[in-house]
Amino acid sequence: MWNNSWSIKEGIMACGGLIAIGLVLYLCTGPVEWSSFAWPLDLYILGFYVAALIILFLLRKKLYFVRWAMSYNAAVPALVAVAFMTFLMGMIKQVPVSVSAGDVSIFHRMISFWPFILVYLWMATIVGLVSIKHLVSFRLSGIPFLLNHLGLFIALLAATLGSADMKRLTMNTRIGQTEWRATDYDGNLYELPLAIELLNFSIDEYPPKLMLIDNATGNALPSGSPEHLMLEDGVKSGKLCGWNIEVLDKIELAASVNGQDTIKYVEWPSTGATYAANVRAVSADGKNVASGWVSPGSFLFPYQALRLDSICSLVMPDREPRRYSSDVIIYTESGKKCNETIEVNNPAEIEGWKIYQLSYDETKGRWSDISVFELVKDPWLPAVYVGIIMMMLGAVCMFVTAQKNNTQKNSES
Amino acid sequence: MISWDYFIYFAALSVLLWIAGAWKAFKGARKSACAFTATGLLVFGTFIGLLWLSLERPPLRTMGETRLWYSFFLPLAGLITYIRWKYKWILSFSTILSIVFICVNLLKPEIHNKALMPALQSPWFAPHVIIYMFAYAMLGAAAIMSIYLLWIKKNPSEDKEMSLCDNLVYVGLAFMTLGMLTGAVWAKEAWGHYWSWDPKETWAAVTWFSYLTYVHLRIGMSNKRKAALYILLLSFVFLQMCWWGINYLPAAQGSSVHTYNMN
Ligand code: HEM
């Protein structure tokens, strides 16, 4: 038994070997289809894997390999290998699942690539084994260790195995209508156990901005770091690239009216109205003067730019949304009915589903009568959060004990 | 209303105070070193606070604004390290680094946008970025230390110097872990999933595992000092990649947070 002396060399070889095996597996079986691990298969795999780790741990006296796997000689190369595979993933553009797998080379979908998965699995195995070891010989002083390692183990396993059980669907709703169907990435239609009635959709926008663009290229000026002038309440004038801009008039809800040879804007509080400002621009040397209306336009009206000289024009880009939200009624199969306001960063939650504000009809902007929701169901989320919270506490412990660890170590050496 | 036009005055005053603090630290006057540095932080922090008020959002969005935090946290990290581990030179060092970031902000100002897209308007946003900036400051200090030990210092590194590196990494990695996990929780609230292997997340993972390698190498194979220091430096390169490098990396282009889902 004692003449076994595996060192870091074996650790490196183990990782190299796993990558080689992974390549062979990939050549034989192709990419890993995560979606085929759906419930209850993922639960069986989890049970089997944890049981295997426990059995391996119990046999550690007989199996030198297991004792070695719980050492730094195994852990350090495993961490290097994981960092390396993740590095490859970062260097190669990854393609989202919404693109069908047939068109994509495996390197653009690392999470389905066997070597990537095996290296992570090896790391998880080490973390799992040392977690069991510290659980079995539990000491209070081992709590930070357990929070870090067991937390990572739980979060990693739950997130990976649970990904097949996660449902992410997109639902389009229209004001006044009730919708219960949603589609996934591949366009498959699902009928849901809940329905959403969109009562109202509203956008709160940032004040409009004025910018200069290059007449020839259309690029914002100065190129590289464009300047802008935000027309907040009270802003009457400002400077853009040397031009003095004065705001003579502004209309929040306006319609354009064609005059004889100019365009004018008038008050028009109705669907499709646009913002408009009447401005006067004077060049730095005072020689060039231009005045007229600028407007970002809407789905009803075209945008309006003001040509200042042969080089540049003054434009008003589309206003940026500050906040958008949907007032809805959600009905569930079990007969529940509730009113919710859903907005970005403030999803609604009902019977295991989270409902996110995703988007709206961008061609109509603030006048959109369509609201797009994303519905997410992730039954493994609580387990992932347990892992995440453990790791957070572990990080706090690491911060608090940073100095202590060190003094201990120094006195040992 | 405060704006970036006032930055130079606040920055100049803070830098003067920090230099005074660093000088006092060299002289061994610990109390006044701490007092000067803390006053400098107060002045700089006041600017950040006032800017926050006038922007009506946390100043965390543009690169210029995050550099502001970096210039703030470097002397703060320096001060904490100084109080805890009493290195005479640490304040000079954090002051110099902070000055570099202040100069970048003065010489390359960006026109700062007031608008904050809805996904960033979250209670998680400010803690997430502030925690990350603090981690960056600590890990930046560790990286400079590793350069010093690898190439500048002629004699082999001493235990005390290595344990400074270790401490900086422990604290930095702890904050980085917190930053990453608050980011995950926020992503769940904002985009529906906590981890989507988008380029920023992928590089954060690379960086994290790289620092974990350092930690385990130092604990488990403490005689491999050179290797550890190289890993420390490499980890910091990954960190730069994660922070701003991906803006220039071809592999990371065109994948915005809304076309984000890999799982
Ligand atoms: C959450 C991130 C992690 C942190 C903060 C962390 C931190 C630590 C610390 C501080 C120790 C020394 C503990 C002690 O002596 O009491 C340690 C030991 C160890 N770590 Fe980690 N680690 C992490 C992740 C990992 C990973 C991913 C692996 C697997 C590759 C791993 C494998 C090990 C091993 C094998 C030991 C030795 C355990 C023993 O001596 O019983 N750790 N870790």
Side-chain angles (χ1 to χ4, degrees), chain A residues 93 232 322 345 354 356, chain B residues 114 119 121 188-189 253:
Chain A
K93 190 173 182 129
E232 294 167 275
R322 188 201 299 267
N345 266 315
K354 278 197 173 209
Y356 295 85
Chain B
K114 216 171 178 181
Q121 296 167 25
K188 180 74 198 170
E189 286 305 299
Q253 299 312 308

Side-chain angles (χ1 to χ4, degrees), chain A residues 195-208:
Chain A
I196 301 179
E197 179 181 354
L198 181 63
L199 300 177
N200 190 24
F201 174 76
S202 59
I203 296 190
D204 178 11
E205 290 170 314
Y206 281 106

Side-chain angles (χ1 to χ4, degrees), chain A residues 48-367:
Chain A
F48 180 78
Y49 179 59
V50 173
L53 287 182
I54 293 176
I55 292 171
L56 279 177
F57 178 76
L58 293 176
L59 294 177
R60 70 190 178 284
K61 294 242 163 59
K62 294 229 171 66
L63 295 175
Y64 174 73
F65 167 78
V66 177
R67 275 177 283 139
W68 169 80
M70 292 188 287
S71 76
Y72 294 100
N73 286 331
V76 170
L79 282 164
V80 172
V82 165
F84 174 70
M85 293 309 285
T86 316
F87 170 82
L88 284 186
M89 185 180 194
M91 293 302 288
I92 304 169
K93 190 173 182 129
Q94 301 294 302
V95 179
V97 274
S98 44
V99 180
S100 118
D103 320 336
V104 179
S105 128
I106 186 67
F107 296 108
H108 299 292
R109 186 136 318 145
M110 278 294 221
I111 47 172
S112 300
F113 189 40
W114 273 112
F116 182 87
I117 296 165
L118 288 185
V119 163
Y120 266 80
L121 184 66
W122 173 226
M123 180 186 78
T125 303
I126 298 173
V127 180
L129 285 173
V130 291
S131 300
I132 297 173
K133 173 175 147 194
H134 280 246
L135 272 178
V136 168
S137 57
F138 181 80
R139 283 173 301 139
L140 277 184
S141 61
I143 286 179
F145 181 94
L146 274 174
L147 288 173
N148 282 321
H149 294 84
L150 190 58
L152 178 65
F153 185 73
I154 293 174
L156 203 62
L157 242 60
T160 314
L161 286 173
S163 67
D165 290 333
M166 192 167 89
K167 293 210 170 50
R168 303 187 72 170
L169 308 170
T170 308
M171 178 189 273
N172 289 299
T173 58
R174 188 179 284 273
I175 289 180
Q177 292 181 3
T178 304
E179 184 60 84
W180 64 94
R181 294 156 303 179
T183 50
D184 64 12
Y185 293 125
D186 300 327
N188 304 318
L189 196 69
Y190 289 80
E191 302 215 350
L192 297 175
L194 53 86
I196 301 179
E197 179 181 354
L198 181 63
L199 300 177
N200 190 24
F201 174 76
S202 59
I203 296 190
D204 178 11
E205 290 170 314
Y206 281 106
K209 294 182 293 197
L210 290 174
M211 296 177 93
L212 292 182
I213 58 166
D214 186 312
N215 285 339
T217 63
N219 291 337
L221 295 175
S223 62
S225 57
E227 288 180 21
H228 66 249
L229 176 63
M230 202 179 241
L231 297 184
E232 294 167 275
D233 285 342
V235 173
K236 291 268 183 308
S237 62
K239 261 196 164 152
L240 274 179
C241 305
W243 288 82
N244 285 304
I245 314 276
E246 192 188 345
V247 181
L248 307 173
D249 191 12
K250 47 191 182 189
I251 308 177
E252 186 82 26
L253 297 172
S256 66
V257 184
N258 286 326
Q260 276 155 345
D261 46 17
T262 55
I263 287 186
K264 278 179 59 174
Y265 284 80
V266 296
E267 200 89 43
W268 192 64
S270 176
T271 301
T274 178
Y275 192 93
N278 191 4
V279 297
R280 204 173 105 93
V282 183
S283 64
D285 54 13
K287 284 189 184 135
N288 283 325
V289 180
S291 65
W293 288 89
V294 283
S295 162
S298 70
F299 71 99
L300 277 185
F301 303 108
Y303 76 94
Q304 179 66 39
L306 175 63
R307 195 180 163 93
L308 299 186
D309 59 15
S310 58
I311 300 162
C312 63
S313 298
L314 189 67
V315 296
M316 187 181 280
D318 282 333
R319 293 171 71 171
E320 292 175 76
R322 188 201 299 267
R323 179 173 170 257
Y324 44 100
S325 63
S326 305
D327 295 322
V328 297
I329 304 180
I330 306 171
Y331 306 90
T332 70
E333 234 171 23
S334 56
K336 253 195 249 162
K337 175 182 166 186
C338 58
N339 277 288
E340 294 272 0
T341 301
I342 301 174
E343 58 181 298
V344 179
N345 266 315
N346 190 10
E349 203 167 354
I350 192 159
E351 302 200 337
W353 288 90
K354 278 197 173 209
I355 305 169
Y356 295 85
Q357 178 74 59
L358 189 63
S359 146
Y360 51 90
D361 181 354
E362 287 177 20
T363 56
K364 288 197 174 174
R366 65 184 289 186
W367 303 112

